[in-house]
Amino acid sequence: MSELHTLGATQLLRAYMARQLSPVEVMQAVLDLAARWEPQLHATYLLRPEAALEQARASEARWQQRAPQGWLDGVPATIKDNIATAGDPTPLGTAATALVPAAADAPPAARLREAGALLWSKTTMPDFGMLSSGLSSFHATARNPWDLSKGPGGSSAGAGAAAAAGYGPLHVGTDIGGSIRLPASWCGIVGFKPSLGRIPIDPPYTGRCAGPMTRSVEDAALMMMVLAQPDARDCMALPPQFIAWEQLDTGLERLRGLRFGLLLDAGCGLPVAPEVRQAIEHAATLLEKAGAIVEPMAPFLTRDMLDGMDHFWRMRSHMDLQALPAAQQDKVLPFIRQWADSADGLTAAALFAAQHQFFRTRQATVQACAAFDYVLSPVAPITAFDAQLASPTNDPLRPLEHIAFTVPFNMSEQPSISVPCAQSAQGLPIGLQITGPRFDDLGVLQMARAFEQLRAPLPPYPSAPAALQRDMAQAAPQTTAIAADPIPVPAAV
């Protein structure tokens, strides 16, 4: 059997059902791996090994009694810092936040816990989630396991690094402008931003989504079965709807005749690096050979739109910081403070004009996509950048130059996924973004699964540094297969 930390959620559930594995040995394997990676990666927050093993033992007892609690019983999972978990502080990645225990689980955490997932750690993020990096005034700087000199992206920084490093199969991030898809692309994993409201979240906000970060589309779809359950706390949640999330493999059959727009120029922001462009063009060619119709797509995002959203978010952050005591303001990452404080002189008229760009972006995005069934594009115009930089430009007055391919689909509320498609000459991952019409979350997952089946094999995920591998070999848990004795489990597993 493969190393336990590399197994997908569906593989684990089948092994539990067949009594070939125990949640305890799986959780221990993940903890052992994390203990060896963490001095380099800094992906975790509130990592509690004993509490994790206690959950695993309870899950093991349920499986022994042939009574699994839910779809994810015994599967290790992490939650991003900014998703509240009962009794834990929610620092939002910044030293400026008072560490007050949360009164209750936020919806994504509640759904995972109800489904029996082992919530063994939270994951790191930058200050207030307003960076696409792992730089934080509260957490140690997160790193990219493919190259420790690079960052994992953000703001779901720790989740991206954890998934790529093998910290179990399931991770939850959040995304308001690309914060799931960017780290997914730069870490070589799958990151799915669903239609706004598909996964209830608290607090809700324009464009803000929670979503799965996994190594496979199959595991992302399995998470959607659990996360896309109703919760009254989200005033923007979609009505409950039955969706056959397990029906992924129909994507290849559906490809023939589907129209894909190929967007290689976002209209503004950083230019697309040649290696990234080549990778996306090759991905489009694979889909075309499988029967899809691929047509060039004109850019639609403008400099006014991107700058308007930036200026509005600056003012929002400026007001949030002004509400803090001066001593707490001084603890915020200097890049964030400079960015936010630059809005101090923004007039009411300028702020109104900035806010209007959200609607203009939404309108332009929906109109541009209307001619196509799905849209293909880069996730980011570049590969992962230096871990010590706050953004690719490292300029607080030009902070969003890398999100021009992702942020439009937050504003239009469309489902959008990053799926690994290639690696650069330096061995850094490149993600393909596939976007569909609003509410067609399953269709986007099906297209991503079809691409997984069409692409050539990618290099294996990075292992722990060589000096640590010897320790891991000595500490690796020994597993003994037990004669299969089927245990009832939900049919889609």
Side-chain angles (χ1 to χ4, degrees), residues 1-136:
M1 182 174 287
S2 301
E3 291 182 282
L4 300 188
H5 67 270
T6 68
L7 297 178
T10 302
Q11 291 173 290
L12 290 178
L13 291 165
R14 287 171 178 159
Y16 297 159
M17 181 170 59
R19 293 191 175 183
Q20 293 172 331
L21 287 177
S22 158
V24 175
E25 57 192 346
V26 171
M27 189 68 257
Q28 187 64 63
V30 170
L31 290 169
D32 289 344
L33 181 77
R36 290 160 174 79
W37 260 123
E38 272 305 277
Q40 288 77 29
L41 289 190
H42 308 300
T44 62
Y45 167 59
L46 296 182
L47 194 166
R48 294 167 176 160
E50 285 308 313
L53 291 172
E54 183 180 352
Q55 293 178 65
R57 287 188 286 268
S59 174
E60 179 184 64
R62 292 192 293 271
W63 281 105
Q64 288 174 344
Q65 295 165 11
R66 306 182 186 184
Q69 181 172 310
W71 296 102
L72 304 178
D73 205 338
V75 181
T78 71
I79 293 278
K80 188 176 177 181
D81 160 349
N82 65 345
I83 299 175
T85 48
D88 298 324
T90 310
L92 307 178
T94 179
T97 302
L99 299 181
V100 178
D105 286 337
R111 299 296 86 76
L112 289 180
R113 209 183 298 276
E114 291 162 3
L118 308 181
L119 299 185
W120 64 279
S121 180
K122 301 189 80 170
T123 51
T124 56
M125 61 181 283
D127 287 52
F128 304 109
M130 295 310 295
L131 294 177
S132 296
S133 78
L135 212 58
S136 166

Side-chain angles (χ1 to χ4, degrees), residues 53-408:
L53 291 172
E54 183 180 352
Q55 293 178 65
R57 287 188 286 268
S59 174
E60 179 184 64
R62 292 192 293 271
W63 281 105
Q64 288 174 344
Q65 295 165 11
R66 306 182 186 184
Q69 181 172 310
W71 296 102
L72 304 178
D73 205 338
V75 181
T78 71
I79 293 278
K80 188 176 177 181
D81 160 349
N82 65 345
I83 299 175
T85 48
D88 298 324
T90 310
L92 307 178
T94 179
T97 302
L99 299 181
V100 178
D105 286 337
R111 299 296 86 76
L112 289 180
R113 209 183 298 276
E114 291 162 3
L118 308 181
L119 299 185
W120 64 279
S121 180
K122 301 189 80 170
T123 51
T124 56
M125 61 181 283
D127 287 52
F128 304 109
M130 295 310 295
L131 294 177
S132 296
S133 78
L135 212 58
S136 166
S137 62
F138 181 81
H139 303 295
T141 299
R143 303 275 174 166
N144 192 318
W146 292 96
D147 181 342
L148 294 173
S149 72
K150 306 295 184 183
S155 63
S156 302
Y167 290 17
L170 306 181
H171 308 271
V172 180
T174 62
D175 190 316
I176 199 172
S179 289
I180 286 173
R181 290 157 291 159
L182 290 166
S185 177
W186 289 328
C187 291
I189 64 167
V190 172
F192 181 47
K193 181 204 79 68
S195 298
L196 183 73
R198 180 70 70 200
I199 295 176
I201 194 167
D202 183 35
Y205 191 83
T206 300
R208 184 175 186 241
C209 299
M213 301 179 71
T214 64
R215 286 187 172 189
S216 70
V217 176
E218 181 181 43
D219 278 356
L222 181 62
M223 289 187 80
M224 291 301 296
M225 292 183 187
V226 170
L227 295 173
Q229 300 298 317
D231 194 299
R233 288 175 287 178
D234 187 345
C235 61
M236 294 192 287
L238 296 177
Q241 178 183 356
F242 172 77
I243 297 175
W245 299 107
E246 73 281 4
Q247 293 183 6
L248 288 180
D249 289 334
T250 62
L252 278 176
E253 300 172 10
R254 291 186 55 216
L255 273 180
R256 185 162 299 279
L258 287 180
R259 297 185 67 203
F260 284 78
L262 179 58
L263 183 66
L264 294 171
D265 179 359
C268 56
L270 294 175
V272 177
E275 281 186 304
V276 173
R277 182 185 183 96
Q278 183 179 7
I280 304 308
E281 288 177 331
H282 178 67
T285 298
L286 292 177
L287 292 166
E288 196 168 33
K289 288 180 178 178
I293 300 167
V294 179
E295 301 173 356
M297 187 172 176
F300 55 86
L301 190 71
T302 67
R303 170 55 56 184
D304 285 346
M305 293 174 190
L306 189 62
D307 286 349
M309 290 185 283
D310 175 27
H311 294 160
F312 181 85
W313 281 330
R314 291 182 199 218
M315 179 57 80
R316 186 192 71 168
S317 295
H318 178 64
M319 298 298 292
D320 288 344
L321 295 186
Q322 290 299 303
L324 296 174
Q328 295 303 103
Q329 293 181 40
D330 291 340
K331 296 179 181 180
V332 176
L333 201 69
F335 184 99
I336 293 291
R337 285 205 60 181
Q338 187 176 349
W339 170 73
D341 289 347
S342 69
D344 187 42
L346 203 63
T347 66
L351 182 60
F352 174 82
Q355 195 279 334
H356 184 59
Q357 298 305 318
F358 286 90
F359 180 77
R360 288 194 61 216
T361 301
R362 177 190 182 101
Q363 187 177 42
T365 305
V366 172
Q367 288 176 349
C369 294
F372 305 101
D373 296 299
Y374 298 97
V375 171
L376 307 173
S377 73
V379 178
I382 59 171
T383 54
F385 58 96
D386 190 281
Q388 298 297 336
L389 300 182
S391 72
T393 62
N394 207 37
D395 181 353
L397 301 184
R398 294 174 54 245
L400 304 185
E401 299 300 296
H402 56 290
I403 72 169
F405 285 105
T406 53
V407 70

